[in-house]
Amino acid sequence: MRIDEYKQESEMLNPGHNACPGCGAALAVRYLTRALGPNLAIVLTASCWSIISGMPPLTALKCPILHCPFPSAGSVGSGLRRGLNARGQHNTTVVVLAGDGGTFDIGLQALSGAAQRNEDYLFVCYDNEAYMNTGMQTSSATPFGARTNTAPYPLFKEGQKKDIMQIMAAHGIPYAATATVAFPDDMERKLKKAQEIRGFRFMHILSPCPPGWGTDSSDTIHLSRLAVNTGFFPLYEIVNGVSWKMTCQPEGKRTPLKEYLQNQRRFKQMEDLRIEALQEEVDHDWEALQEKIEATKCSD
Amino acid sequence: MAYELMSGSQAAAVAVQRVGVDLVAAYPITPQTAIVETLANFEGKGELGGEFVSVESEYAALACCYGAAAAGARVFTATASHGLAYMHEMIHWCSGARVPIVMVNVNRTIGAPWSLDPDQGDSLSQRDTGWMQIYCSGAQEVLDTVMQAFLLSEELLLPCMVVFDGFYISHTYEAVDVPDLEKTRKFIGPPPFTAQVQPEKPANIHALITGDMQADLVRNRHETMLRAPAVFKEINHRFAETFGRSYGVIDSVMPPGTKKVILAAGATAETVRWTLPELEQTGMVQLRMFRPFPREDLCNLFEAHDIEQVVVIDRNCSTGMGGILAQELQAAVYGMEKPPAVKDIILAGGIDLTPEMLVKALTETASLDKVEQKWGVDLR
Amino acid sequence: MLPDITTEKLVYAHGTESSAVNKTGEWRFMTPERMPGLSPCRQGCLLDGEVPAWLEAVKREQWEEAWQIMRRNNPFPALTGYTCFHPCTENCNREQLDSGIDIPSVEKAIGLWRLDQYKPGQQRDLLKDEIAVIGSGPAGLSCAYYLNQVGYRVTVYEKSDQIGGMLALGIPEYRLPRSILNKELNLLKEEGVEFVTGCEIGQDLSLDELYEKYSEVFLAPGAWKSRKAGIPGEESRGVWNALDFLSEFNSGKQPEVKDPVIVIGGGNAAIDSARSALRMNGVNHVTLVYRRSRAEMPAYQPEVEAAENEGVELIFNALPGKIDTVDGRVSGAEFNYSKTNRQGLVVDKSSSFHKSCGTVIMALGQEQDSSIFSSLEKDVSFYAGGDLVTGPATVSEAIRAGRIAAEAMIARLENLPEPELCLPVEDPISFEDLYLEASVNLEIKDQQEMPEKEASRCLGCGTCNSCGICYLFCPDMAIDIVDGRYELNLDYCKGCGICYRECPSRALILKGGK
């Protein structure tokens, strides 16, 4: 990893923002804005970042942030892109920023519509795997087995985490990629690549949430790294919905999922049986992903 | 003069094309579809000037308009009924965000059960969303009002809804004086600079604020909207100079000796206008602007003519209270030295009003001096 | 024409001011703090040097800063760069990854930078007391340096006519270029240190006289008395003791040496003698005989290897029984084999060999000469250091002694609390302690010639090496970059602890409270 090129002047995130200590989403947006700025406009839907961005007259970013209602992000992005074009501001990068709720659930229709129309902007989902701004309620991005405030003990989230990447791939968009905060180099490379592409682009960023996940605030990077090393959250990119490529694969064997789960309160009291089930799911998804990647290699 | 035979929907679309917009985002719904299709046709012929976006829902249509308007673009959308209801969250948001947007709503009953007739309840139930609302009674009026609505909206930084009845106006054809493109563009002019998103300028736009701050904004929005009648009149003054036509926030016909007026909005106003010669000592008011409510214009009119009775045609019903226009009028005249009695004829379900029904309604309500509701279906 | 909403009220809806006014540090209940841990190199350093700290400064190409850190413990990095055996390099954690850091080359580079940079400034006013230093070896020079730096008037007395003690007379040119030594000495003179050469205390001047004239006296005359073997023929012509030989050789005189040469002994002086002799005209063959095994040699192994590579013949487990002479001049020596067992060294009288030669250099070690104290009659307390105290040791240990003596004198003269000798008690940071999950600067595997590049390979091991990981992973923009260094900004630090958790060097701790 090289950070010699990091200059404080190129940071777009101001200090004094309202994120909780150890917030993965704050970091994700820091990398995002740094990589894509300064000529950048962000559409921000209801999510943790609605709070993190600060209360006017303050702002946490050095670029405009247009807040919008929860389900509307994908559509507001379409409008903003076209509106800026109409005013001759073609060079401004438009980013729509949404949490997992604003992407997987209430925002999915608008997202799908914009993706299908191949709107020219980058949709970034920072995924903390539940409705965290409202206090950790289940979303369709919540992994199997996790406890939330709408699935409290002895309940747990049933059903798989929605595979948003496959959904986006099925739209055949020019570029889709996963990223997470422990691998800023990988994230930055993907962001810059996405920025060069015209049409609809999608980034899925896993952002650990210490209060929601019930983890120590200092563990954010560690967990993000483990998510990748266990194969729970592989880092890859998809071009045109068909060309799959691993970008940052852990060397050697994948770490057992249990290591990732064990220090998170949301997975506490998870029976071994369910850990195994989740491990199997991860293994299965991993194999499926490898198949797609292999298939891509063969067709190249 | 270039008269063309066209429907109300087509008139709305032609107005948008004449004004010149950067973006139209829309989703089809009966009875609004002709507007969308006409605009798409313009785009197909390269005559729209801006972009036409076929979005995946009405909600997306308005959200898309919001985004574009925030960048300073001139935008338009159209919907009806369920579509309007589906937009509800965005409708609130756009007025709070102070973006200029013009939207046509073609009245249609909201289900269940499914229904197509032009009940005004869809748009009237958006009364408190912070949008201006203007009701039209014919295709020419639609065309002119849509054009004027852009100026009004851009002047006050408030979105404006132009409303007319489904089928009775949207689907019936009349000869419309279509203004010349260049003449219109010259009159309307390019959109003023209203961009909120300026890439080079950090801004946390419409982020979470305190109740105190919000109160300030709401008051400002309210006070700004109260300026709409004056601004609208000024626009019409100029419009008349260019195009030879003009409209008021209310338009009235007051035969000599009028003591009773019929108040109507939308297509029923036209029925009233044509029935008026058959009625004695009866005048009429076409309520064009519903938001802001033209209280001053109405009270002045009633005072000047010593009006004793107002019969309101309400093609809607607020369940549990009655016709919405009647309620609004009641509130408006309250406090007048001699407030007129308000009678209410409810055409809920969007049913048609015939001259015969109108005559019968006037007779049956004549003797009453307090609020009286008369159901349209009982007048047949 | 537009309503004033755009300019005034919308300020509410359009926050334009940086959130930096919001001091989120207020939220904190844990606080990260830089707390240097002990690295293997620091633990190994004979001078208590803050090795990772000056490596870090060199990495940033901040030479002045590196020198300032260096001089806290070592005022002569050029001298130690050449002469020190660098135990600091022995347990470098980087070795477990690819190759250890070449600390000596960076140290030397700092020293050379300093010598190059030095421009004689205005004469500083030396207003404090006068202090005498006896002996101009590394201990004396170091003591003089530190005293001079804070304004004392120092006079160094040297019995030889050359300044530098063992540096000038004991260590051969090939290990320490005299040009470097002379630069250091000139620098000291320019800074105002006075030198009196050819003046032996106890002979030319008594200690009592010194104590009358000076506020403090530092005794660092070294250990120049050579041990004797006590064997026949030891006093004959052609038998040198190593120090005399090296002194003559190093002062440019040609000591009388005839080929072949036998060096007896296994210490550094023996190796230095052997390698020096081999460099003399007419000498083709040098044999070094040591009584114990190779592994038991006290000499610095790389030096032994260098000697061997140059062609010095090594014979182990043998010790001299007598030196043969012809006409009073050495002609050879008789050796007996020996071995080490539980009782110690056992000489096997039954087996012996003879080796003929033209010269024998006896390098059996030195000892202190306490005769200096004979000239002291007053009842005074005194400071002493260097080989006089430790017996023959290294340049680096002597420099350290000079520093400690200077600090103690300053404390006494200025009524300051007595400086504590902090000897590290903790275990140094091991390779396993480091956290290299996201580490930077792991790409360069091999040692680099450019000192800046080489320094950048340092993993820090308990000291911030400015890798920037803390900056990279801080969600709260609470790390500032100041001149290439990463500084915690507690105005904004919410105390999440990510910097502490992710620091590859383990240079941070997390404390409870603000």
Side-chain angles (χ1 to χ4, degrees):
Chain A
M1 197 174 294
R2 294 202 65 81
I3 59 167
D4 301 357
E5 311 89 51
Y6 270 69
K7 299 270 180 297
Q8 228 172 337
E9 306 88 81
S10 56
E11 299 285 356
M12 301 276 289
L13 175 62
N14 292 323
H17 61 70
N18 291 334
C20 306
C23 177
L27 258 183
V29 172
R30 181 185 157 202
Y31 299 144
L32 168 87
T33 49
R34 211 191 81 83
L36 304 180
N39 192 357
L40 178 67
I42 289 183
V43 171
L44 176 61
T45 189
S47 62
C48 287
W49 250 92
S50 308
I51 307 300
I52 299 172
S53 74
M55 183 182 283
L58 304 184
T59 181
L61 290 176
K62 293 187 175 74
C63 65
I65 312 165
L66 183 65
H67 291 252
C68 68
F70 214 170
S72 70
S75 315
V76 176
S78 310
L80 183 64
R81 168 77 280 161
R82 290 163 187 265
L84 288 171
N85 286 354
R87 297 195 65 87
Q89 286 154 333
H90 300 270
N91 293 332
T92 302
T93 301
V94 172
V95 172
V96 172
L97 189 61
D100 46 301
T103 306
F104 289 61
D105 288 342
I106 197 170
L108 188 61
Q109 174 174 308
L111 168 62
S112 172
Q116 181 277 321
R117 291 191 301 274
N118 200 22
E119 295 281 354
D120 183 20
Y121 67 79
L122 170 63
F123 193 110
V124 175
C125 168
Y126 67 94
D127 180 5
N128 46 30
E129 302 194 314
Y131 292 93
M132 294 309 186
N133 198 21
T134 45
M136 180 74 180
Q137 294 86 20
T138 304
S139 81
S140 60
T142 306
F144 168 82
R147 291 179 207 290
T148 67
N149 287 332
T150 47
Y153 184 82
L155 305 177
F156 57 89
K157 159 77 189 283
E158 305 201 43
Q160 287 197 13
K161 181 183 172 105
K162 192 184 276 182
D163 191 341
I164 195 75
M165 290 303 285
Q166 292 229 59
I167 294 174
M168 295 323 293
H171 282 76
I173 55 173
Y175 189 74
T178 62
T180 185
V181 291
F183 300 89
D185 283 5
D186 178 70
M187 193 190 299
E188 181 168 313
R189 192 191 58 75
K190 286 168 176 166
L191 286 163
K192 288 205 187 287
K193 183 170 179 182
Q195 194 173 28
E196 295 306 310
I197 295 171
R198 296 277 67 82
F200 197 79
R201 296 141 277 161
F202 182 82
M203 289 271 295
H204 181 198
I205 303 180
L206 182 71
S207 312
C209 168
W213 293 10
T215 58
D216 195 282
S217 57
S218 66
D219 274 347
T220 295
I221 302 299
H222 176 65
L223 284 169
S224 161
R225 193 179 291 126
L226 267 180
V228 173
N229 291 348
T230 53
F232 177 82
F233 193 85
L235 297 178
Y236 57 97
E237 57 187 14
I238 312 167
V239 175
N240 295 327
V242 289
S243 179
W244 298 61
K245 193 181 143 200
M246 209 79 192
T247 58
C248 196
Q249 196 167 351
E251 278 173 33
K253 252 186 110 177
R254 279 182 289 129
T255 312
L257 190 63
K258 198 165 183 173
E259 260 184 58
Y260 173 62
L261 306 178
Q262 64 192 1
N263 290 325
Q264 303 185 40
R265 203 171 53 232
R266 59 178 177 157
F267 294 114
K268 219 174 167 186
Q269 298 152 315
M270 192 172 178
E271 292 90 347
D272 286 349
L273 206 64
R274 269 195 261 119
I275 295 178
E276 277 166 35
L278 190 51
Q279 176 76 63
E280 268 171 39
E281 187 189 313
V282 167
D283 291 346
H284 175 268
D285 291 351
W286 178 265
E287 291 308 322
L289 178 63
Q290 299 312 317
E291 275 170 31
K292 292 194 188 83
I293 290 163
E294 284 307 312
T296 305
K297 277 185 197 154
C298 294
S299 64
D300 276 350
Chain B
M1 302 283 257
Y3 281 93
E4 284 181 36
L5 195 63
M6 62 173 68
S7 68
S9 289
Q10 286 168 335
V14 168
V16 171
Q17 188 268 339
R18 288 294 189 265
V19 167
V21 295
D22 296 309
L23 179 133
V24 174
Y27 185 80
I29 180 171
T30 303
Q32 152 269 29
T33 32
I35 304 177
V36 181
E37 290 169 359
T38 311
L39 286 169
N41 267 324
F42 278 127
E43 206 206 11
K45 288 187 281 185
E47 290 173 1
L48 185 59
E51 290 185 279
F52 182 90
V53 194
S54 285
V55 290
E56 72 282 0
S57 72
E58 286 88 355
Y59 187 93
L62 193 52
C64 190
C65 286
Y66 164 62
R74 184 180 267 167
V75 299
F76 173 81
T77 186
T79 188
S81 187
H82 286 265
L84 191 69
Y86 189 34
M87 283 180 180
H88 182 68
E89 183 188 26
M90 283 309 305
I91 293 177
H92 269 289
W93 189 272
C94 288
S95 65
R98 302 302 297 269
V99 283
I101 294 177
V102 173
M103 168 160 70
V104 162
N105 180 63
V106 187
N107 289 131
R108 173 186 150 186
T109 313
I110 293 185
W114 289 117
S115 184
L116 293 169
D117 297 275
D119 188 297
Q120 293 164 322
D122 56 354
S123 54
L124 289 175
S125 67
Q126 304 300 329
R127 183 185 67 175
D128 303 329
T129 54
W131 283 56
M132 298 181 285
Q133 289 193 9
I134 303 172
Y135 287 75
C136 300
S137 62
Q140 182 74 58
E141 203 182 326
V142 166
L143 190 145
D144 295 343
T145 306
V146 167
M147 296 203 306
Q148 294 168 2
F150 281 99
L151 293 178
L152 184 64
S153 179
E154 284 161 7
E155 168 77 30
L156 298 177
L157 291 180
L158 280 172
C160 182
M161 204 182 288
V162 179
V163 186
F164 52 88
D165 309 59
F167 304 106
Y168 295 114
I169 296 176
S170 68
H171 284 61
T172 54
Y173 284 65
E174 62 179 273
V176 175
D177 175 9
V178 178
D180 173 66
L181 181 72
E182 275 182 30
K183 196 172 161 188
T184 318
R185 292 275 164 96
K186 195 172 165 211
F187 175 76
I188 300 284
F193 183 81
T194 58
Q196 298 189 9
V197 176
Q198 297 171 58
E200 66 282 14
K201 290 189 181 154
N204 199 3
I205 305 165
H206 313 311
L208 183 84
I209 56 174
T210 63
D212 280 16
M213 293 150 94
Q214 186 69 269
D216 244 10
L217 289 173
V218 172
R219 175 194 273 186
N220 183 285
R221 193 163 73 207
H222 176 65
E223 286 170 355
T224 305
M225 198 193 277
L226 292 181
R227 291 172 48 216
V231 173
F232 188 72
K233 284 171 199 168
E234 193 269 332
I235 291 169
N236 268 280
H237 182 70
R238 289 193 288 122
F239 193 85
E241 284 173 357
T242 310
F243 300 106
R245 292 183 299 277
S246 75
Y247 307 86
V249 292
I250 55 170
D251 282 334
S252 58
V253 183
M254 291 292 185
T258 297
K259 290 292 169 228
K260 180 194 276 188
V261 297
I262 305 164
L263 183 141
T268 50
E270 205 59 11
T271 311
V272 176
R273 205 185 310 272
W274 285 88
T275 315
L276 216 50
E278 298 171 24
L279 306 171
E280 280 174 23
Q281 291 189 318
T282 304
M284 70 158 296
V285 175
Q286 182 191 348
L287 184 75
R288 300 193 75 250
M289 192 176 270
F290 172 70
R291 271 292 177 274
F293 199 79
R295 179 205 303 252
E296 206 181 325
D297 292 82
L298 286 166
C299 291
N300 287 347
L301 180 77
F302 296 155
E303 213 160 67
H305 291 85
D306 264 343
I307 302 300
E308 290 164 358
Q309 215 183 80
V310 183
V311 178
V312 181
I313 315 290
D314 258 316
R315 189 125 80 181
N316 63 79
C317 178
S318 171
T319 311
M321 189 63 185
I324 293 169
L325 299 186
Q327 291 167 44
E328 294 276 316
L329 188 67
Q330 275 282 341
V333 300
Y334 182 81
M336 280 179 72
E337 207 170 307
K338 281 193 283 175
V342 176
K343 322 284 180 176
D344 194 8
I345 298 174
I346 298 175
L347 303 174
I351 64 166
D352 192 19
L353 177 73
T354 61
E356 295 73 30
M357 285 162 72
L358 184 58
V359 172
K360 194 174 172 193
L362 289 178
T363 320
E364 290 194 7
T365 55
S367 58
L368 302 166
D369 58 23
K370 60 179 174 59
V371 176
E372 176 79 7
Q373 290 167 349
K374 204 73 210 173
W375 287 85
V377 283
D378 295 341
L379 297 170
R380 295 227 174 104
Chain C
M1 276 291 278
L2 288 175
D4 64 359
I5 187 78
T6 47
T7 52
E8 290 170 23
K9 298 290 182 186
L10 274 184
V11 167
Y12 283 168
H14 290 192
T16 52
E17 198 185 317
S18 166
S19 57
V21 296
N22 192 16
K23 299 283 191 275
T24 47
E26 291 292 315
W27 308 3
R28 194 173 62 242
F29 51 87
M30 297 290 270
T31 305
E33 198 181 291
R34 245 188 219 154
M35 182 64 79
L38 184 67
S39 59
C41 51
R42 285 185 65 196
Q43 195 200 33
C45 180
L46 299 171
L47 282 151
D48 322 323
E50 299 161 58
V51 180
W54 49 255
L55 282 173
E56 188 275 337
V58 170
K59 165 188 166 179
R60 285 183 292 115
E61 301 173 33
Q62 298 299 312
W63 291 93
E64 173 66 30
E65 201 183 319
W67 157 241
Q68 291 302 334
I69 299 167
M70 175 70 81
R71 66 180 281 266
R72 295 205 285 257
N73 307 91
N74 178 7
F76 307 125
L79 300 184
T80 52
Y82 278 102
T83 62
C84 186
F85 300 136
H86 291 104
C88 54
T89 56
E90 276 165 26
N91 295 307
C92 180
N93 282 328
R94 178 102 198 191
E95 215 153 83
Q96 304 199 32
L97 206 59
D98 33 55
S99 51
I101 308 296
D102 184 2
I103 300 171
S105 76
V106 183
E107 180 187 40
K108 198 187 284 180
I110 296 173
L112 296 178
W113 176 89
R114 189 241 165 169
L115 294 178
D116 282 350
Q117 288 298 305
Y118 183 82
K119 290 184 190 69
Q122 288 163 322
Q123 198 67 39
R124 280 184 303 122
D125 287 332
L126 299 174
L127 300 172
K128 296 186 182 168
D129 297 24
E130 288 191 57
I131 295 176
V133 169
I134 296 163
S136 69
L141 294 179
S142 158
C143 183
Y145 173 85
Y146 284 109
L147 291 169
N148 168 273
Q149 285 298 305
V150 293
Y152 288 95
R153 286 170 288 169
V154 184
T155 308
V156 181
Y157 290 92
E158 170 58 49
K159 75 173 175 192
S160 155
D161 52 3
Q162 286 196 53
I163 312 173
M166 200 60 92
L167 291 166
L169 302 174
I171 295 173
E173 163 93 20
Y174 65 82
R175 269 182 55 204
L176 174 62
R178 289 302 176 268
S179 59
I180 300 293
L181 175 62
N182 291 337
K183 271 190 187 170
E184 289 279 16
L185 295 174
N186 286 339
L187 221 141
L188 278 172
K189 287 177 194 161
E190 296 217 32
E191 295 269 282
V193 175
E194 300 279 349
F195 289 91
V196 179
T197 52
C199 179
E200 187 173 355
I201 305 302
Q203 301 275 321
D204 306 316
L205 212 59
S206 76
L207 268 180
D208 281 349
E209 283 172 280
L210 287 183
Y211 274 106
E212 259 162 43
K213 190 171 173 206
Y214 296 100
S215 307
E216 298 287 355
V217 176
F218 177 55
L219 299 173
W224 287 87
K225 207 169 139 188
S226 297
R227 285 216 187 94
K228 300 279 185 192
I231 53 171
E234 203 173 356
E235 307 299 332
S236 36
R237 262 182 70 205
V239 179
W240 287 88
N241 78 57
L243 278 189
D244 288 345
F245 167 74
L246 286 170
S247 293
E248 291 243 331
F249 180 81
N250 289 332
S251 52
K253 300 170 194 160
Q254 285 286 327
E256 195 211 349
V257 167
K258 275 192 174 162
D259 196 45
V261 178
I262 293 178
V263 178
I264 297 169
N268 287 313
I271 297 288
D272 283 348
S273 300
R275 293 183 68 192
S276 298
L278 202 59
R279 282 168 169 73
M280 294 181 69
N281 284 335
V283 176
N284 296 318
H285 199 264
V286 177
T287 308
L288 185 142
V289 184
Y290 177 51
R291 55 191 173 139
R292 295 175 196 264
S293 68
R294 184 186 194 118
E296 290 164 289
M297 274 181 98
Y300 183 53
Q301 276 305 317
E303 286 289 315
V304 179
E305 280 158 30
E308 204 169 14
N309 291 338
E310 284 168 6
V312 174
E313 183 192 354
L314 301 176
I315 296 174
F316 295 103
N317 296 314
L319 82 171
K322 84 178 212 287
I323 288 168
D324 303 327
T325 52
V326 174
D327 300 338
R329 196 191 155 79
V330 63
S331 65
E334 287 282 331
F335 292 90
N336 292 103
Y337 283 109
S338 61
K339 61 181 175 192
T340 317
N341 65 14
R342 278 194 201 145
Q343 278 78 46
L345 193 74
V346 178
V347 182
D348 181 0
K349 296 275 186 198
S350 61
S351 67
S352 67
F353 64 92
H354 178 266
K355 219 168 160 53
S356 49
C357 65
T359 310
V360 171
I361 300 173
M362 305 289 275
L364 304 175
Q366 301 94 258
E367 47 199 29
Q368 302 97 317
D369 185 355
S370 56
S371 64
I372 187 167
F373 295 111
S374 61
S375 67
L376 180 64
E377 285 173 0
K378 285 190 174 170
D379 185 14
V380 292
S381 58
F382 56 84
Y383 295 91
D387 287 358
L388 174 68
V389 174
T390 57
T394 60
V395 170
S396 299
E397 284 160 290
I399 292 175
R400 177 173 182 269
R403 185 191 80 227
I404 291 169
E407 283 168 2
M409 286 184 200
I410 293 164
R412 187 153 87 177
L413 289 168
E414 300 182 11
N415 285 322
L416 302 172
E418 199 160 310
E420 282 177 40
L421 278 182
C422 306
L423 291 172
V425 284
E426 63 203 293
D427 285 336
I429 286 177
S430 70
F431 184 72
E432 288 69 30
D433 292 334
L434 299 176
Y435 191 70
L436 304 179
E437 292 282 355
S439 202
V440 293
N441 292 335
L442 295 184
E443 296 93 347
I444 310 176
K445 307 263 183 238
D446 302 323
Q447 294 192 344
Q448 300 290 301
E449 249 179 54
M450 289 264 296
E452 298 90 336
K453 273 246 168 95
E454 181 58 16
S456 79
R457 294 175 63 246
C458 173
L459 298 174
C461 307
T463 299
C464 173
N465 68 342
S466 295
C467 72
I469 282 288
C470 54
Y471 174 81
L472 184 70
F473 286 140
C474 177
D476 296 317
M477 313 307 289
I479 311 266
D480 290 332
I481 308 179
V482 183
D483 299 330
R485 283 187 65 80
Y486 299 90
E487 306 284 358
L488 292 162
N489 185 340
L490 294 181
D491 276 355
Y492 302 110
C493 172
K494 295 170 188 162
C496 70
I498 289 179
C499 53
Y500 149 79
R501 180 83 162 82
E502 294 296 322
C503 176
S505 312
R506 290 286 173 247
L508 289 166
I509 56 163
L510 197 60
K511 286 199 317 192
K514 288 208 169 166

